[in-house]
Amino acid sequence: MTPEITVLDRLLEVSELFQKDMANAFAGTPLTPSRTRLLWELAATGPSTQHALATRLEVSPRNITGLVDALEAGGYVMRSPHPSDRRAIIVSLAASAEEFVRDMQRDHAELSAELLGAVAPADRDALLRGVEAIAGRLRELIEADEQRRAAGESRAAVGE
């Protein structure tokens, strides 16, 4: 008997398809999903310290250094000293990457419109509400799991 295809199955399929699409889009470039996410963040928020980027992207300081190193080597970002904190480094999009990021944003908007175009206009609001509800619930489940894990680690650390 073939198992019923669930909403989760479809969401996982969509996730895999997005990963394949991104891999195809950036094939032949030094861009990985993590590096692309960093570029996207800089485009959205402007120049930032490496520490702030690591926090927003939820990666370690060591990981953000590697990402910035690779993007700097590829000419996508540049580092400069922080104007008031000599320990901090500001990361910003390189001028040569700004057009690339604008193209990436345009492609993103076009794909979004193309995908939403596959849904009947009368169903679009419901789809968006449903996707947001699912994403919100998944965020809650992840946060609760992280809190349980942290509480367990705290008890283990004090020998309970």
Side-chain angles (χ1 to χ4, degrees):
M1 182 169 128
T2 304
E4 179 182 343
I5 295 176
T6 67
V7 170
L8 179 58
D9 294 326
R10 287 294 182 226
L11 291 171
L12 291 170
E13 179 184 9
V14 167
S15 176
E16 290 173 12
L17 290 168
F18 277 128
Q19 289 175 16
K20 285 180 184 178
D21 183 60
M22 182 177 254
N24 290 338
F26 297 117
T29 74
L31 296 178
T32 63
S34 296
R35 293 173 189 171
T36 303
R37 187 168 171 231
L38 192 150
L39 290 175
W40 197 260
E41 182 66 25
L42 285 174
T45 62
S48 185
T49 63
Q50 288 190 184
H51 177 75
L53 285 168
T55 300
R56 287 198 305 271
L57 297 179
E58 298 179 337
V59 299
S60 69
R62 182 178 188 154
N63 191 286
I64 203 72
T65 298
L67 292 171
V68 172
D69 285 348
L71 289 170
E72 186 178 41
Y76 293 97
V77 301
M78 57 187 189
R79 288 180 167 113
S80 58
H82 190 283
S84 60
D85 182 351
R86 63 186 180 95
R87 296 169 299 157
I89 299 292
I90 299 290
V91 180
S92 56
L93 286 175
S96 59
E98 289 178 7
E99 183 177 349
F100 173 79
V101 172
R102 279 193 301 275
D103 290 344
M104 192 168 59
Q105 290 169 325
R106 184 199 66 237
D107 293 346
H108 179 86
E110 288 173 0
L111 179 58
S112 182
E114 177 76 21
L115 295 175
L116 199 54
V119 177
D123 295 336
R124 290 176 187 169
D125 287 341
L127 170 69
L128 294 173
R129 284 192 309 274
V131 169
E132 185 54 44
I134 289 169
R137 183 63 180 138
L138 185 55
R139 283 197 252 352
E140 290 170 0
L141 291 170
I142 291 168
E143 183 177 333
D145 186 53
E146 288 172 349
Q147 288 174 355
R148 276 192 303 275
R149 192 167 293 150
E153 290 170 4
S154 295
R155 284 192 296 275
V158 293
E160 289 186 21

